[in-house]
Amino acid sequence: MQKITLIPGDGIGPAIVDAAVRVIEAAGVKVEWDKQLAGMAAVDACNNPLPDATLASIRANRLCLKGPLTTPVGGGYRSVNVTLRQEFKLYANVRPAISFEGTDTAFSNVNLVTVRENTEGLYAGIEHFITEDGYKIAAESVAVVTRKGCERIVEYAFDYAKRTGRKKVTLVHKANILKCTSGLFLEIGREIAPRYPDIEFNDVIVDACAMKLVMNPGAFDVMVTTNLFGDIISDLASGLIGGLGLTAGANIGADAAIFEAVHGSAPDIAHMGIANPIAMIMAGVMMLEHMGELDAARKIEQAVRDVVREGTHVTPDLKPGSAVGTQAMADELVRRVSA
Ligand code: NAI
Ligand code: MG
């Protein structure tokens, strides 16, 4: 039986992770869940936001379904999410944005995937202030782009396109200004593209990309880009399909893969029982696809899309005034998936 590390997380995390577990099990997938702590729950239990036991579990199982973690403010803690990315070299952040019927959005034809480089670029963590007499006069952040890092993310994007039947990869950059970091990324993209003759390749400058995305998102298929641009563009894409409550992401590396909702722990609605479980369930769908459990993945995604379209069993973020909570929405999905 497949063993998977399960991190319930903080705030709304335990409720939506429970919903995802129930729906996955209802689809008939046999999983042994290895429950572990991280974030505030781990700080409360053992004064460490990322205990060794959690790291060891992910290292052994290589698969993790993770609820949102509250980043403790103060106390000198590093972001757990950033630490996990570095620890397991989770170099590819994959975020699909596919329109849901029944949502109130400007476009209904969005069907794109952002593949963001997750470990280098401007987020490499090399930054400092320059001070004079204790007064901050400047700050510098260094963007690091390596050939190996570019090659593996561009190859990942093309392989992903090939595997999922997508037709085009668009490389997003700013090589006109950032001639070295963005320039190398573009150069390597152009080197690799001819190896995938069945996939169309083009490139676009990031600012123009933002404009084109909000005017004609249907023109995009797979996008591959560096860390900072990917952070922003992937949130923009999530917004196009109705935002946080619906979007999931995968963090894929050579040593492990971690699947999560895009949103955070939503402290403003924690313990109210009204959190939308869909983003977390879609994270589960991405995990099932990664495991090769394609039938279960399709069954769950179809049930989710049907329920959102029909609108009678959805949480209030999707239908203002709705009395349906997390549990009731999950119950409806469990019923459909196991039917
Ligand atoms: P957030 O995503 O938790 O919440 C933003 C807004 O969206 C809130 O009004 C919230 O109620 C709503 N929302 C989010 N998820 C929802 C859901 N499933 N159903 C209904 N409404 C939902 O972002 P915020 O407030 O900036 O961050 C809260 C905490 O989460 C912070 O400590 C932050 O660091 C952490 N965080 C963790 C992430 C992770 O573990 N991957 C990602 C983003 C934030
Ligand atoms: Mg972000």
Side-chain angles (χ1 to χ4, degrees):
M1 204 188 305
Q2 178 79 55
K3 220 171 154 185
I4 297 173
T5 303
L6 185 71
I7 299 178
D10 312 309
I12 61 172
I16 58 174
V17 166
D18 176 67
V21 164
R22 284 168 57 215
V23 172
I24 290 169
E25 288 180 347
V29 184
K30 297 273 175 285
V31 172
E32 187 186 336
W33 302 104
D34 179 7
K35 209 180 252 192
Q36 298 290 339
L37 295 175
M40 278 316 285
V43 170
D44 292 343
C46 55
N47 209 24
N48 176 356
L50 191 53
D52 289 343
T54 303
L55 289 170
S57 165
I58 299 172
R59 195 166 293 118
N61 299 327
R62 302 167 62 90
L63 272 182
C64 173
L65 187 62
K66 180 177 113 9
L69 306 177
T70 301
T71 304
V73 180
Y77 294 117
R78 261 176 97 199
S79 156
V80 173
N81 291 317
V82 172
T83 309
L84 285 172
R85 275 176 215 159
Q86 278 162 7
E87 182 72 24
F88 296 104
K89 304 184 185 70
L90 305 172
Y91 63 85
N93 184 272
V94 182
R95 227 200 252 186
I98 304 172
S99 294
F100 282 83
E101 280 179 64
T103 50
D104 184 19
T105 50
F107 298 96
S108 56
N109 64 338
V110 183
N111 186 352
L112 58 86
V113 180
T114 318
V115 177
R116 160 188 171 193
E117 203 294 318
N118 217 14
T119 55
E120 342 188 289
L122 209 46
Y123 294 3
I126 306 172
E127 54 177 0
H128 58 258
F129 294 109
I130 297 166
T131 55
E132 246 175 46
D133 304 327
Y135 181 69
K136 287 173 191 156
I137 56 160
E140 291 177 337
S141 302
V142 178
V144 178
V145 165
T146 66
R147 173 166 286 276
K148 192 172 154 238
C150 295
E151 283 172 354
R152 69 184 175 186
I153 196 67
V154 172
E155 280 167 3
Y156 186 90
F158 275 103
D159 288 337
Y160 180 93
K162 208 169 149 179
R163 189 169 72 241
T164 56
R166 289 183 175 269
K167 305 278 179 261
K168 184 167 85 178
V169 171
T170 299
L171 183 147
V172 183
H173 65 91
K174 189 77 189 181
N176 51 329
I177 306 291
L178 301 170
K179 305 217 186 264
C180 295
T181 47
S182 241
L184 181 62
F185 187 67
L186 176 60
E187 189 180 316
I188 290 170
R190 286 179 174 157
E191 271 170 40
I192 289 174
R195 283 201 249 142
Y196 298 85
D198 300 337
I199 312 269
E200 191 188 331
F201 175 71
N202 67 349
D203 70 87
V204 59
I205 295 174
V206 62
D207 42 353
C209 176
M211 182 183 64
K212 287 177 183 170
L213 269 171
V214 297
M215 291 182 72
N216 183 19
F220 291 86
D221 195 346
V222 175
M223 290 189 285
V224 63
T225 189
T226 46
N227 210 336
L228 171 65
F229 298 158
D231 193 2
I232 299 166
I233 290 292
S234 64
D235 263 25
L236 192 162
S238 296
L240 288 171
I241 66 156
L244 290 172
L246 300 171
T247 331
N251 297 282
I252 313 263
D255 302 334
I258 300 180
F259 301 82
E260 63 186 338
V262 161
H263 61 71
S265 55
D268 54 335
I269 58 164
H271 311 300
M272 289 169 66
I274 56 165
N276 182 351
I278 288 183
M280 199 65 228
I281 292 170
M282 292 304 287
V285 167
M286 292 186 80
M287 185 181 73
L288 292 173
E289 285 168 348
H290 186 81
M291 292 160 63
E293 295 278 0
L294 301 183
D295 289 345
R298 286 293 69 78
K299 206 165 21 165
I300 297 172
E301 181 167 4
Q302 192 57 55
V304 166
R305 290 186 176 276
D306 290 346
V307 163
V308 173
R309 186 183 62 248
E310 292 163 20
T312 44
H313 291 89
V314 297
T315 44
D317 56 305
L318 291 180
K319 192 176 158 196
S322 168
V324 175
T326 313
Q327 285 262 11
M329 191 170 179
D331 289 345
E332 178 63 19
L333 290 166
V334 164
R335 193 183 66 73
R336 291 179 188 226
V337 166
S338 46

